[in-house]
Amino acid sequence: IYTKQAEDIAYYELEKAYSDIFFSQSSQEKTSFNADFSKPIGRQMYLGIRYRNIRNEGIYTHQAAR
């Protein structure tokens, strides 16, 4: 469910930098953070970063899933 396939990868061919940031917190224990960033770094060369984080502390001691 958490693996990525080749068709899941987004490619951006832009003249300016692009960013998309998402943060969701349903409670103190459960958060989700997503960030996409792309920037041209040369002639026909682009840098792209995709970051995903899901955090769930759990209701019991030492139950955290990160």
Side-chain angles (χ1 to χ4, degrees):
I1 189 171
Y2 297 108
T3 60
K4 298 292 178 197
Q5 305 298 324
E7 57 270 6
D8 296 330
I9 299 172
Y11 294 97
Y12 301 101
E13 228 176 275
L14 306 168
E15 295 179 14
K16 295 182 180 180
Y18 166 80
S19 61
D20 181 23
I21 298 173
F22 170 80
F23 178 78
S24 174
Q25 183 174 16
S26 58
S27 68
Q28 286 293 100
E29 296 84 23
K30 298 176 186 176
T31 61
S32 175
F33 178 77
N34 300 335
D36 289 333
F37 176 78
S38 181
K39 177 183 179 177
I41 58 173
R43 187 175 217 187
Q44 301 215 354
M45 186 179 285
Y46 304 92
L47 170 69
I49 298 171
R50 172 168 278 183
Y51 179 79
R52 303 285 183 258
N53 184 312
I54 300 171
R55 183 179 175 127
N56 184 359
E57 292 294 325
I59 58 174
Y60 302 107
T61 305
H62 306 294
Q63 185 188 355
R66 301 176 190 186

